[in-house]
């Protein structure tokens, strides 16, 4: 009887654990509450302050479809200016952080991000080319997607050829740096030939990254591809855990690694291209947010992807609030994310932990 007690104890603890809420779920609940609070605060603060009571009345008016003592001016500020911007920051922050986490898991490299593999540079070139050719926003998005896919495909091709299919993260990173530099040069070429009075200012400001020009139409355009891309990654996220054992081990467990890599790359590049097409280059989010999420919930992608989505959304909303309120003129959000991301990247280089991916 005494020998059975340890087994009974283990079973009881396991049963209690199943009935209770896991630590990771609690973290995500807290992050969700924080995200809701940040959204509400973002509707309040700005150059034109709106009281919390008026914001709640406006939201109530929107829900019931009737004006509840809310002026036309305030209603316009909240739902035509601030809400699209907040929703855009939410979607783009979730997209970039999800893509970064997926790339890091796929390539088993904690230093990999969409920027390093060339997806952002390729999408940036496509969008700059679309602006130069006066394409519509849908045309810019399509061109961004195609060049983003091309950039990542070339990076993977060069890495496989140079490393002879070996698991060499250094070759992968160097290949990505090569492709990123190449597409950055193409962007510079487009800036050189662009009209300095019309096209060039648009391209230059867009490259710095900003959410100031996002409107309801942009939200309608990017919502579907971003949700589809994130949804696909959510469906295959458990396979990213298996990829951590290595490609041969994953294949032995029945995972089609080439097919999985294609799905993850295509989904990640789709959401990156969608983000880049309306907000420009917003760097470092895809690198630093997955690492911060690992600190919160660990490396299990079952929880890491949802945590990255919530953390990335909150982070970009917070940075966007700083961008539009720190100074008299708005600071491009890409500048602030770089200022925050560069020191964190240096910290990762000095304190990297093996086995996090």
């Amino acid at each position: 009887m005494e020998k059975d007690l340890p087994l009974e104890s283990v079973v009881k603890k396991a049963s209690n654990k199943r009935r209770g809420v896991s630590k990771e779920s609690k973290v995500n609940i807290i992050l969700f509450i924080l995200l809701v609070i940040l959204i509400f605060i973002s509707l309040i603060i700005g150059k034109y302050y709106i009281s919390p009571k008026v914001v709640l009345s406006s939201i109530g008016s929107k829900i019931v479809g009737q004006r509840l003592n809310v002026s036309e001016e305030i209603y316009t500020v909240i739902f035509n200016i601030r809400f699209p911007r907040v929703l855009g920051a939410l979607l783009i922050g979730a997209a970039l952080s999800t893509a970064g986490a997926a790339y890091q898991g796929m390539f088993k490299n904690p230093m990999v991000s969409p920027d390093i593999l060339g997806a952002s540079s390729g999408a940036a070139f496509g969008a700059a080319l679309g602006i130069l050719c006066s394409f519509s926003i849908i045309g810019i998005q399509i061109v961004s997607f195609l060049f983003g896919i091309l950039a990542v495909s070339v990076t993977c091709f060069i890495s496989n050829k140079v490393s002879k299919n070996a698991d060499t993260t250094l070759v992968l990173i160097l290949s990505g740096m090569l492709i990123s530099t190449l597409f950055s040069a193409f962007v510079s070429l487009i800036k050189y030939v662009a009209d300095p009075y019309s096209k060039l200012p648009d391209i230059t400001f867009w490259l710095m990254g900003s959410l100031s020009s996002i409107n309801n139409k942009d939200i309608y355009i990017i919502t579907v591809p971003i949700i589809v891309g994130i949804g696909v990654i959510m469906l295959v996220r458990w396979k990213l855990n298996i990829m951590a054992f290595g490609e041969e081990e994953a294949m032995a467990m029945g995972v089609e690694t080439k097919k999985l890599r294609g799905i993850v790359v295509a989904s990640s590049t789709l959401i990156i291209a969608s983000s880049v097409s309306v907000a420009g280059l917003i760097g470092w989010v895809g690198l630093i947010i997955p690492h911060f999420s690992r600190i919160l919930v660990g490396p299990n992608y079952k929880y890491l992807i949802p945590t990255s989505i919530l953390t990335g959304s909150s982070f970009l909303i917070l940075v966007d609030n700083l961008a539009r309120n720190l100074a008299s003129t708005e600071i491009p959000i890409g500048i602030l994310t770089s200022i925050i991301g560069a020191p964190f990247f240096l910290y990762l280089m000095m304190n990297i932990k093996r086995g996090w991916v």
Side-chain angles (χ1 to χ4, degrees):
M1 185 70 177
E2 291 180 356
K3 292 182 179 180
D4 294 334
L5 287 178
L7 180 59
E8 292 177 3
S9 177
V10 170
V11 172
K12 185 176 181 180
K13 288 181 179 179
S15 178
N16 290 336
K17 187 175 182 180
R18 285 195 297 267
R19 286 196 298 266
V21 180
S22 65
K23 172 191 170 183
E24 293 82 1
S25 298
K26 291 179 181 177
V27 169
N28 285 337
I29 291 172
I30 293 173
L31 289 174
F32 178 77
I33 295 173
L34 176 62
L35 177 60
V36 173
I37 293 173
L38 282 173
I39 292 173
F40 185 69
I41 292 175
S42 300
L43 297 176
I44 295 173
I45 63 175
K47 306 301 180 185
Y48 184 85
Y49 174 79
I50 302 176
S51 69
K53 183 178 179 180
V54 174
V55 171
L56 289 174
S57 298
S58 301
I59 295 174
S61 299
K62 192 71 173 179
I63 293 174
V64 301
Q66 296 179 355
R67 293 293 174 86
L68 303 176
N69 299 322
V70 178
S71 67
E72 180 69 26
E73 182 182 23
I74 292 177
Y75 200 82
T76 300
V77 169
I78 292 176
F79 292 108
N80 293 341
I81 299 176
R82 291 186 183 174
F83 186 73
R85 182 165 182 163
V86 172
L87 188 56
L90 186 152
L91 289 170
I92 294 170
L96 296 177
S97 57
T98 301
Y103 271 128
Q104 290 171 10
M106 176 57 57
F107 297 107
K108 303 182 293 296
N109 184 357
M111 292 300 181
V112 167
S113 74
D115 307 88
I116 291 176
L117 290 185
S120 294
S121 298
F125 169 73
L129 183 63
I131 294 174
L132 180 68
C133 298
S134 301
F135 289 170
S136 65
I137 186 64
I138 297 178
I140 293 173
Q141 188 172 357
I142 292 173
V143 175
S144 295
F145 172 72
L146 293 177
F147 277 99
I149 282 282
L150 177 63
V152 177
S153 299
V154 173
T155 296
C156 295
F157 175 79
I158 294 175
S159 177
N160 290 333
K161 288 296 182 181
V162 173
S163 63
K164 305 300 181 182
N165 295 321
D167 186 15
T168 307
T169 58
L170 178 60
V171 175
L172 180 65
I173 293 174
L174 291 176
S175 300
M177 291 174 61
L178 172 66
I179 298 303
S180 294
T181 302
L182 182 62
F183 276 102
S184 295
F186 289 156
V187 171
S188 298
L189 180 61
I190 288 180
K191 292 170 65 178
Y192 179 76
V193 301
D195 188 332
Y197 299 103
S198 59
K199 303 294 184 181
L200 182 58
D202 292 339
I203 294 173
T204 302
F205 182 76
W206 171 85
L207 287 173
M208 291 188 291
S210 177
L211 300 175
S212 60
S213 61
I214 287 184
N215 53 40
N216 287 313
K217 183 179 179 181
D218 295 328
I219 297 300
Y220 295 145
I221 292 173
I222 67 173
T223 296
V224 173
I226 287 179
I227 290 179
V228 169
I230 292 177
V232 171
I233 293 175
M234 285 284 289
L235 291 175
V236 302
R237 70 187 188 277
W238 64 273
K239 294 184 179 180
L240 295 175
N241 288 325
I242 300 176
M243 289 293 293
F245 294 106
E247 188 161 345
E248 292 183 0
E249 289 79 1
M251 292 176 66
M253 295 180 184
V255 176
E256 299 180 26
T257 55
K258 290 185 178 180
K259 181 179 179 181
L260 177 62
R261 184 177 291 110
I263 291 173
V264 171
V265 168
S267 300
S268 299
T269 308
L270 173 64
I271 59 182
I272 293 167
S274 301
S275 303
V276 168
S277 66
V278 298
L281 292 177
I282 301 177
W284 299 97
V285 177
L287 175 63
I288 63 176
I289 295 302
H291 282 284
F292 183 73
S293 300
R294 286 188 186 91
I295 295 174
L296 296 176
V297 298
N300 187 346
Y301 278 84
K302 176 182 177 181
Y303 301 104
L304 180 59
I305 295 296
T307 303
S308 296
I309 291 172
L310 294 171
T311 307
S313 299
S314 299
F315 173 75
L316 205 60
I317 290 175
L318 178 61
V319 175
D320 184 54
N321 285 333
L322 295 176
R324 61 190 178 92
N325 291 291
L326 275 180
S328 56
T329 57
E330 182 170 327
I331 304 172
I333 193 170
I335 295 177
L336 289 180
T337 56
S338 297
I339 291 174
I340 296 172
F344 190 82
F345 183 75
L346 178 62
Y347 170 80
L348 291 177
M349 291 175 62
M350 298 174 63
N351 300 276
I352 185 171
K353 295 183 180 181
R354 289 186 174 273
W356 270 28
V357 178

